Amino acid sequence: MNEAPRIAMVAGEPSGDLLAARLLAALKEKLPTARYFGIGGPKMAAEGFDAWWSLEKLAVMGYAEALKRYREISSIRRSLRTRLLTEKPDLFIGVDAPDFNLDLEVALRAKGIRTIHFVSPSIWAWRGGRIKKMAKAADHVLALFPMEPPLYEKAGVPVSYVGHPLADEIPLVTDPKDVRGKLRLPDHHNPIFAFLPGSRQSELSQLGGIFVETAKRIHAVLPDALFLVPLTTRQTKLAFEAEISRRDAKHLPWQLLFGHAVAALGAADAVLVASGTATLEAMLVKRPMVIVYKVATLTYQIMKRRAYLPYVGLPNILAGRQIVPELLQKAATPEAIAEALLAEIAPGRREELQEVFTDIHLALRQNMAGKAAAATLEVLRRTARN
């Protein structure tokens, strides 16, 4: 195998940036002279990745939003494909972002470039026909969830179950008292709610106002409640502050954080969370939660028609049953959400969820970076042998 392979990668959103950065760190231990380039974010750059475009160019939410930026994103993909076919890297790794990456992988693989797709599309939830495209696109799939490998094995697609990095990172037990001390929260027991409205501005535009109105209703019932809101960027923080002002909610005891999402979850009695990776984080921290999901009507209608499962939240999907409430689209009203959150802080609720959350945590704890790097190296070895 070439001791200095050239590996192209594309990550299309912050969660992909984090996954790719962990894989890069593990690969660098085995391939210290390799070159990594393509589309990525700041965490990948910190590992020495050469980002030709920033992942912010690709980060959109849902069909309606993607349609608005279709021309720009298609132009980037064409330019990237041309450049990669000229560079001819030893390997291409598409990190999630299947709407962008799969067509690119098909084109590269047709020209003899080996491809890995890291993070299976949700073929177990909707768009199961996409597994046929995966067979054309990927020489190998790195799967994060245990229900995925059997589907690929049945279709004859090489696959490795690598587990989820958050399960490796988050401890099996998180003591709320310890976390509250680190965040300098009150020693006496105020009810604490963590609100995670999403990492994208498009999510904030859909959910920010609903979250603020929910807090107002909880505050009316529990005037000593605290509200922790971890936000990922200056833009999302400003957007949430604007919603607080617009809805006359400055008097509520807010604590807005830059990042520190897992700490906010650990400090909380209950969590309000937009559907996505944050629901997995809340589950791994073992906190009661209410999941909300609200996107453009067109996007939701398309997804609903193609869905196979009755759930959108990862805790319910991984458990195979509804263990935490989900409020979707029109059902996601401040009144309904507040009522559901207040029910989640009832005595014994956290203990009720502890066992099932712990079982899922252990199933996902697989040393993701190490397993993903080992599978990547094996694909490179097969490339060298051929």
Side-chain angles (χ1 to χ4, degrees):
M1 184 173 66
N2 181 4
E3 293 183 359
R6 295 166 304 119
I7 300 176
M9 303 177 77
V10 169
E13 55 186 45
S15 60
D17 182 35
L18 182 59
L19 285 169
R22 287 172 170 143
L23 174 56
L24 284 169
L27 286 173
K28 284 164 60 180
E29 293 181 6
K30 304 294 184 180
L31 300 171
T33 59
R35 285 182 52 218
Y36 306 93
F37 47 84
I39 298 177
K43 289 181 172 60
M44 295 167 69
E47 295 293 341
F49 184 80
D50 180 12
W52 295 344
W53 288 271
S54 168
L55 64 78
E56 292 178 0
K57 295 289 187 181
L58 308 186
V60 295
M61 182 184 180
Y63 285 102
E65 293 81 1
L67 285 172
K68 293 177 184 177
R69 295 184 50 202
Y70 176 79
R71 187 169 297 178
E72 178 189 9
I73 293 172
S74 293
S75 176
I76 291 172
R77 184 164 54 194
R78 285 194 301 272
S79 298
L80 177 63
R81 181 176 62 233
T82 298
R83 189 166 178 180
L84 291 178
L85 289 175
T86 301
E87 291 271 346
K88 291 195 176 299
D90 297 288
L91 179 66
F92 175 84
I93 304 175
V95 186
D96 208 355
D99 290 315
F100 185 93
N101 277 326
L102 292 185
D103 284 336
L104 180 61
E105 290 165 17
V106 169
L108 297 177
R109 197 173 180 218
K111 296 296 184 180
I113 297 171
R114 292 270 187 176
T115 61
I116 289 176
H117 195 82
F118 187 13
V119 184
S120 167
S122 301
I123 55 173
W124 35 268
W126 66 305
R127 296 182 73 174
R130 197 176 237 178
I131 199 166
K132 296 177 182 178
K133 191 165 191 178
M134 290 291 291
K136 295 178 181 177
D139 287 290
H140 205 92
V141 176
L142 304 180
L144 303 189
F145 297 114
M147 65 281 199
E148 296 170 333
L151 299 175
Y152 287 100
E153 290 164 357
K154 185 177 180 181
V157 180
V159 61
S160 297
Y161 173 50
V162 299
H164 202 287
L166 290 174
D168 297 325
E169 179 181 307
I170 294 173
L172 289 173
V173 177
T174 301
D175 187 338
K177 291 182 180 179
D178 290 345
V179 183
R180 289 171 188 174
K182 292 175 184 177
L183 292 177
R184 299 181 180 179
L185 296 171
D187 291 333
H188 57 282
H189 187 76
N190 297 63
I192 296 177
F193 295 88
F195 280 17
L196 283 75
S199 60
R200 304 186 189 111
Q201 286 184 280
S202 56
E203 290 173 314
L204 256 288
S205 67
Q206 292 279 0
L207 296 173
I210 293 172
F211 276 43
V212 173
E213 291 292 338
T214 298
K216 288 168 65 176
R217 284 155 178 80
I218 291 174
H219 183 68
V221 178
L222 299 173
D224 59 344
L226 303 178
F227 301 97
L228 304 183
V229 188
L231 297 160
T232 57
T233 65
R234 182 173 180 272
Q235 289 75 17
T236 53
K237 182 174 182 290
L238 289 173
F240 198 82
E241 288 174 334
E243 289 290 353
I244 291 173
S245 297
R246 186 179 301 120
R247 296 172 186 276
D248 193 26
K250 286 186 177 181
H251 63 287
L252 270 63
W254 299 103
Q255 186 163 334
L256 273 57
L257 308 172
F258 268 124
H260 302 292
V262 173
L265 293 169
D269 293 292
V271 178
L272 175 59
V273 57
S275 178
T277 302
T279 66
L280 182 64
E281 291 177 316
M283 184 201 71
L284 294 171
V285 179
K286 321 297 188 304
R287 295 300 181 262
M289 73 189 83
V290 174
I291 297 170
V292 298
Y293 190 70
K294 194 165 188 176
V295 293
T297 301
L298 173 61
T299 298
Y300 183 73
Q301 288 174 345
I302 294 172
M303 293 181 70
K304 188 176 180 180
R305 283 198 298 269
R306 296 182 174 185
Y308 308 139
L309 300 176
Y311 321 116
V312 300
L314 282 168
N316 293 331
I317 291 169
L318 290 166
R321 57 191 174 92
Q322 184 162 324
I323 53 175
V324 297
E326 296 183 354
L327 294 170
L328 315 179
Q329 295 300 98
K330 292 181 180 180
T333 65
E335 295 80 7
I337 296 169
E339 181 180 353
L341 275 172
L342 291 170
E344 290 299 303
I345 63 170
R349 177 59 174 154
R350 183 185 297 176
E351 291 73 19
E352 181 185 336
L353 294 169
Q354 188 81 20
E355 184 177 353
V356 64
F357 282 176
T358 300
D359 287 345
I360 296 171
H361 194 154
L362 291 170
L364 295 174
R365 181 174 272 198
Q366 298 286 323
N367 180 22
M368 183 281 297
K371 285 194 170 183
T376 300
L377 291 172
E378 181 55 34
V379 174
L380 281 170
R381 291 188 188 99
R382 289 203 303 267
T383 302
R385 288 197 294 267
N386 294 337

